[in-house]
Amino acid sequence: MDDSPRPPAPSTDLERLGAETGMDLSTMPAGLAQRLAAIGSDFRQLTLEYEFALREVETKMHILQDEFLHLHDYNPIEHVSTRLKTLDSLVAKSNRRELPMDLGVWRREILDIAGTRVTCSFRRDVYRVFELFTERQDVEVISVKDYIAQPKANGYSSLHATVRVPVYLSTGVVLIPVEIQFRTIAMDFWASLDHKIKYKYDGEVPADVVDELREAAQAADDLDRRMESLHDRVHGNVRGNVRGSGSGPTLLV
Ligand code: GTP
Ligand code: MG
């Protein structure tokens, strides 16, 4: 039997929400903390629905991956990861955008509460996987930002899609938005370093570091192109209709 001491059970809505989210609500302005505690159970429902949406997206990605592997003996996806925005960062984003502390508004206005990152082998795979995923009838595309065709000024590069997927609950179907970032391994390597550097400097990154990061992004882009062309030289370009017949629509570019 486990004899280790257990933390005392939370006694108020506020303590309960703090225990569940890991947030230190005692450091918040009292009004805000009370408001959050009041929306506690609605927030738990929201979290659950967005968590289900992430599972849906992850499963769809893995099915796509397995089907591609089966048909073409080639795996275009290296890695799929998911994350749900924490309550802290949801509150922070809501404040940045001057939104009211209202879950209905957050559901409508904040479309990256659920996020999925799909890391692919090559640039071409990024677009292939994006197309195969968004062509599904149960995936509704809300918006697409192609930072590969047009990288951000700092060098950030990825393909972003905000989609809506259905989640089937006992009470009916809800459509949940999910932000999906498609990128190559090199883009992911760059973005995670960039993120760590921004965090270390608290957003105020020195100009020489910014310059070097931009150059590193260029180097990552060069590497992506070289690796893809090397791969094509050795294996040829994997093409084909993923549904396998000549009569249906060609789903791959
Ligand atoms: P957010 O309020 O951050 O969601 O901005 P936005 O709605 O304008 O979306 P944008 O497409 O700029 O960025 C969405 C997400 O992409 C961010 O939350 C990051 O995960 C990622 N991202 C965007 N720009 C950068 C960047 O310069 N560096 C890194 N590391 N990630 C970035
Ligand atoms: Mg975001």
Side-chain angles (χ1 to χ4, degrees):
M1 213 178 111
D2 179 12
D3 289 331
S4 55
R6 290 166 199 274
S11 56
T12 65
D13 283 353
L14 205 57
E15 284 170 7
R16 184 151 171 232
L17 189 67
E20 282 172 3
T21 60
M23 260 176 114
D24 184 3
L25 298 165
S26 64
T27 59
M28 272 190 178
L32 175 57
Q34 292 301 340
R35 180 83 192 97
L36 281 175
I39 61 177
S41 81
D42 289 344
F43 182 72
R44 280 185 283 281
Q45 173 70 22
L46 178 147
T47 307
L48 210 58
E49 290 172 17
Y50 280 69
E51 178 65 47
F52 293 158
L54 285 177
R55 278 195 230 162
E56 289 281 349
V57 170
E58 200 172 12
T59 303
K60 290 182 205 309
M61 288 294 174
H62 284 136
I63 289 174
L64 205 149
Q65 181 176 24
D66 289 351
E67 190 187 13
F68 207 100
L69 192 58
H70 171 70
L71 289 173
H72 303 293
D73 204 16
Y74 175 77
N75 177 12
I77 298 177
E78 293 282 341
H79 187 63
V80 179
S81 64
T82 61
R83 72 101 185 90
L84 215 52
K85 239 189 209 321
T86 59
L87 185 55
D88 296 58
S89 62
L90 205 44
V91 169
K93 186 158 190 168
S94 173
N95 287 342
R96 260 198 322 275
R97 291 188 43 192
E98 298 182 358
L99 298 174
M101 200 63 56
D102 182 314
L103 291 189
V105 174
W106 289 357
R107 278 180 185 269
R108 246 190 348 266
E109 299 290 330
I110 304 184
L111 303 182
D112 62 350
I113 296 175
T116 303
R117 190 166 288 155
V118 182
T119 311
C120 298
S121 315
F122 303 111
R123 288 165 64 107
R124 190 196 304 121
D125 296 331
V126 165
Y127 290 103
R128 277 179 173 156
V129 173
F130 162 80
E131 282 184 18
L132 287 170
F133 183 79
T134 52
E135 269 167 0
R136 294 182 54 115
Q137 285 198 338
D138 52 357
V139 173
E140 178 202 347
V141 179
I142 303 172
S143 69
V144 177
K145 293 188 214 165
D146 189 349
Y147 296 124
I148 299 178
Q150 276 191 307
K152 288 195 172 185
N154 63 352
Y156 177 78
S157 175
S158 283
L159 178 65
H160 291 190
T162 301
V163 301
R164 252 189 221 108
V165 292
V167 167
Y168 297 87
L169 304 170
S170 59
T171 46
V173 184
V174 279
L175 293 171
I176 304 292
V178 179
E179 181 189 87
I180 310 179
Q181 302 177 348
F182 299 88
R183 50 171 72 152
T184 63
I185 306 167
M187 292 171 199
D188 192 51
F189 186 33
W190 183 93
S192 62
L193 183 67
D194 174 69
H195 182 76
K196 281 181 198 141
I197 289 174
K198 275 197 190 120
Y199 188 79
K200 168 147 175 67
Y201 289 105
D202 205 12
E204 303 288 321
V205 185
D208 60 318
V209 178
V210 171
D211 288 345
E212 195 133 350
L213 264 171
R214 204 178 300 113
E215 283 171 31
Q218 187 56 54
D221 184 58
D222 291 343
L223 184 64
D224 264 340
R225 290 171 196 275
R226 285 176 69 177
M227 297 299 263
E228 187 162 331
S229 113
L230 187 59
H231 177 270
D232 286 356
R233 224 167 77 201
V234 176
H235 297 284
N237 177 0
V238 181
R239 286 182 164 274
N241 181 340
V242 97
R243 303 287 169 229
S245 92
S247 56
T250 301
L251 297 176
L252 299 181
V253 280

